[in-house]
Amino acid sequence: MGKATGFLEFERRNETYEPSTARVKHYKEFVFALSDEDAKIQGARCMDCGIPFCNNGCPVNNVIPDFNDLVYRQDWKSAIQVLHSTNNFPEFTGRICPAPCEAACTLNINDDAVGIKSIEHAIIDKAWEEGWVEPQPAKHKTGKKVAVVGSGPAGLAAAQQLARAGHAVTVFEKNDRAGGLLRYGIPDFKMEKGLIDRRIEQMEAEGVTFRTGVYVGGEGFPVHIQNGSRETISPKQLKADFDAVVIAGGAEMPRDLPVPGRELQGTYFAMEFLPQQNKVNAGDVVEHQLKATGKHVIVIGGGDTGSDCVGTSNRHGAASVTQFELLPQPPEQENKTMVWPYWPIKLRTSSSHEEGCSRDWAVATKRLEGSNGKVEKLIAARVEWKDGKMQEVPDSEFEMKADLVLLAMGFVSPVATVLEAFGVDKDARGNARAATEGDRAYYTNVDKVFAAGDVRRGQSLVVWAIREGRQAARAVDTYLMGSSELPR
Ligand SMILES: Cc1cc2nc3c(=O)[nH]c(=O)nc-3n(C[C@H](O)[C@H](O)[C@H](O)COP(=O)(O)OP(=O)(O)OC[C@H]3O[C@@H](n4cnc5c(N)ncnc54)[C@H](O)[C@@H]3O)c2cc1C
Ligand code: SF4
């Protein structure tokens, strides 16, 4: 373990941020990773408490006490080996994971949790700087071919694992660049996109082929969902050309707001707005970019996606930014004795909120109004929640000026037509039906076809997508070879 008395001696040291007035002027990352000395002290706080709840709280089961100890001893090279043994892309999670591991940290019961995510961030950034992250091509090729549909964290993790097991892997991505929501959705100021490019280079050196701009599926793909494809391949063709297929297409169907005035110009899904800024940051020309500049912006939906719309709108120079949430305001502090080691529901204020945003809870949008086809105001009412049921508070209607309304109320499911083109069964929520355990783990009802990530579990987190990609790779390897040495 780190230092036996470290947790008594040292307080948690957090990563620092560029001040909000400066960072809203650009789209680059603004978090400063821990110095070696601060990371060492943070590692020293780990108690190696016997039952590492953190390890269980982390969806990829990162071996957290071990890398904490190695960082305390400043053995960074061993630390990255431990970290990479469970997580293909710690530079993504070390930046944007909400860190359920820290909620589960034993020190979190009566003190501040060990800053596990910041240690992860420091380890992987040093590893890249030192040139320790190298391609690991398979020593033996199996002669088997695997297609991965979708290049988000689930598809990338599956592809990397399968290539390392010796299979010839091709990743098909309908958009013009690989990365899924890491690339188009998550703002550059939370995660710069060069991090994805660097991994793709590594994966190409390991033998993975990326085919971007290729849509796999049938007709009827929804027009409001990003699709930059120039070519279509049918599922039938893909199955004929490959020995196994992993569908990792995410859960792209956004939840809509069925209220009068929804059709007014100025009302968009978050995923019509956010990817445009990612593209502009990448140097692309985006004609008629949706801009919040000088506008009164209302973001509907209180989650991560909504927060990203807030941060992007402030960077555009919005006149005002308001965020509404239908659910009541959560408590500022959780009752730790009731919820530890689980993920608590509590008020979370993101760095984007700190940059300027008025937030309001228990608000339901009733309609949008405007003139000349353009939205001008939003009419809402306050609601109360009783026994899980929502009721409008009488006489609570109010209106707000709105030039841009961004819908960030989550995602309901994958695109149905894609699953239907494959003939894949759906569960009650419309996700691809596949178990995670047993002989048919990640295997759909269709011969040769597996599913992993948001397409199978529904809208989730990057770290869950990485876990599913890794586990699906093991399932595919076992299916192709009879057994697998890939980790679970
Ligand atoms: C705005 C936003 C912010 C988020 N912020 C965070 C965060 O801070 N932290 C966090 O942990 N999670 C966050 N999430 C959630 C996280 O991004 C997802 O859970 C994760 O990316 C899912 O990974 P995936 O690989 O399953 O799918 P995705 O990342 O959605 O990737 C799926 C890919 O498949 C492609 N595709 C789909 N269908 C086809 C087809 N038929 N043919 C070819 N290609 C296809 C898509 O174009 C896409 O590139 C955020 C989500 C959003 C929308
Ligand atoms: S991936 Fe997320 S949950 Fe796992 S150790 Fe890193 S920050 Fe914690």
Side-chain angles (χ1 to χ4, degrees):
M1 69 183 286
K3 190 173 184 195
T5 52
F7 71 102
L8 295 171
E9 286 174 46
F10 306 119
E11 305 225 314
R12 177 178 163 117
R13 297 199 181 174
N14 289 313
E15 291 179 322
T16 51
Y17 293 180
E18 189 180 345
S20 54
T21 46
R23 67 184 190 240
V24 289
K25 299 199 175 107
H26 62 77
Y27 292 89
K28 296 200 179 331
E29 287 181 9
F30 52 79
V31 176
F32 302 113
L34 296 183
S35 66
D36 288 5
E37 184 56 25
D38 281 345
K40 177 181 172 148
I41 288 174
Q42 198 56 233
R45 295 182 69 234
C46 177
M47 301 186 287
D48 197 6
C49 53
I51 300 175
F53 290 92
C54 55
N55 164 263
N56 210 32
C58 168
V60 290
N61 303 120
N62 274 345
V63 195
I64 295 163
D66 290 29
F67 68 60
N68 283 343
D69 178 53
L70 290 162
V71 168
Y72 170 61
R73 293 171 203 286
Q74 300 281 285
D75 182 356
W76 295 88
K77 204 163 184 179
S78 302
I80 187 58
Q81 282 165 5
V82 170
L83 185 50
H84 266 152
S85 72
T86 52
N87 187 350
N88 296 62
F89 313 120
E91 66 275 38
F92 305 160
T93 47
R95 284 172 169 77
I96 57 170
C97 186
C101 56
E102 294 185 20
C105 173
T106 303
L107 207 48
N108 186 38
I109 299 174
N110 64 344
D111 199 343
D112 292 328
V114 174
I116 300 165
K117 177 179 164 183
S118 62
I119 293 179
E120 182 173 8
H121 185 184
I123 297 171
I124 183 60
D125 279 14
K126 183 178 281 292
W128 277 106
E129 264 165 45
E130 298 288 338
W132 297 333
V133 187
E134 285 175 323
Q136 299 173 33
K139 292 203 177 69
H140 307 285
K141 301 286 182 202
T142 62
K144 304 279 185 193
K145 297 199 297 178
V146 183
V148 175
V149 180
S151 64
L156 292 179
Q160 185 163 59
Q161 294 295 96
L162 286 163
R164 287 178 179 178
H167 307 302
V169 182
T170 306
V171 177
F172 294 88
E173 167 56 56
K174 66 177 159 59
N175 288 329
D176 59 348
R177 294 182 178 92
L181 289 169
L182 297 167
R183 172 82 64 183
Y184 292 128
I186 295 175
D188 296 49
F189 56 80
K190 270 171 60 179
M191 202 194 105
E192 286 177 14
K193 308 310 169 193
L195 301 171
I196 312 170
D197 299 334
R198 197 163 70 169
R199 275 296 174 185
I200 287 169
E201 265 175 47
Q202 182 200 32
M203 289 174 64
E204 283 174 336
E206 291 169 350
V208 178
T209 303
F210 286 89
R211 291 196 54 198
T212 53
V214 181
Y215 165 69
V216 181
E219 289 181 0
F221 194 85
V223 285
H224 58 267
I225 296 180
Q226 195 185 7
N227 184 356
S229 61
R230 301 173 307 272
E231 189 185 334
T232 297
I233 296 184
S234 72
K236 192 173 165 205
Q237 186 65 48
L238 205 67
K239 280 178 58 190
D241 293 347
F242 290 86
D243 299 299
V245 177
V246 180
I247 307 180
E252 296 191 290
M253 279 301 283
R255 181 167 287 113
D256 208 343
L257 182 72
V259 296
R262 162 66 179 90
E263 73 291 348
L264 290 170
Q265 206 188 329
T267 310
Y268 302 99
F269 287 116
M271 283 300 292
E272 292 177 282
F273 174 70
L274 294 170
Q276 291 192 343
Q277 189 57 49
N278 298 127
K279 280 182 167 282
V280 169
N281 293 339
D284 293 356
V285 176
V286 175
E287 281 179 30
H288 312 298
Q289 187 192 354
L290 301 174
K291 292 281 273 179
T293 318
K295 292 184 178 160
H296 295 283
V297 179
I298 300 185
V299 177
I300 303 181
D304 264 351
T305 306
S307 159
D308 292 345
C309 291
V310 170
T312 303
S313 297
N314 276 324
R315 278 163 181 74
H316 284 180
S320 71
V321 184
T322 305
Q323 187 177 22
F324 288 143
E325 167 58 51
L326 192 60
L327 294 171
Q329 180 170 352
E332 299 223 352
Q333 267 306 329
E334 74 274 34
N335 181 347
K336 286 189 183 174
T337 52
M338 297 294 284
V339 293
W340 181 89
Y342 299 109
W343 181 247
I345 293 178
K346 66 173 180 182
L347 180 65
R348 293 176 197 277
T349 300
S350 71
S351 55
S352 291
H353 294 131
E354 284 164 2
E355 290 159 7
C357 169
S358 143
R359 300 166 81 187
D360 205 346
W361 285 265
V363 171
T365 303
K366 296 194 75 176
R367 62 188 182 279
L368 302 168
E369 290 180 1
S371 58
N372 301 324
K374 288 189 178 163
V375 69
E376 289 171 351
K377 60 184 174 186
L378 180 148
I379 289 83
R382 305 217 159 263
V383 292
E384 275 176 345
W385 289 86
K386 279 191 190 136
D387 302 326
K389 288 205 180 112
M390 189 184 85
Q391 277 176 354
E392 190 175 320
V393 176
D395 302 322
S396 67
E397 213 171 274
F398 65 97
E399 63 176 55
M400 279 199 78
K401 197 165 167 35
D403 310 307
L404 180 63
V405 178
L406 297 171
L407 308 179
M409 299 167 295
F411 297 83
V412 285
S413 69
V415 174
T417 47
V418 173
L419 295 182
E420 284 157 12
F422 273 97
V424 165
D425 277 353
K426 291 175 265 180
D427 66 15
R429 293 180 303 155
N431 300 325
R433 187 192 295 279
T436 54
E437 301 290 338
D439 292 347
R440 291 189 61 91
Y442 297 92
Y443 202 2
T444 69
N445 58 305
V446 180
D447 190 31
K448 287 189 183 179
V449 178
F450 294 73
D454 280 9
V455 76
R456 194 203 67 79
R457 65 183 293 117
Q459 175 196 9
S460 186
L461 295 174
V462 168
V463 63
W464 277 106
I466 296 173
R467 172 197 169 111
E468 294 222 347
R470 288 172 66 85
Q471 293 194 344
R474 183 184 156 90
V476 171
D477 193 30
T478 308
Y479 164 81
L480 294 173
M481 309 303 292
S483 65
S484 177
E485 287 178 9
L486 287 173
R488 268 218 80 216

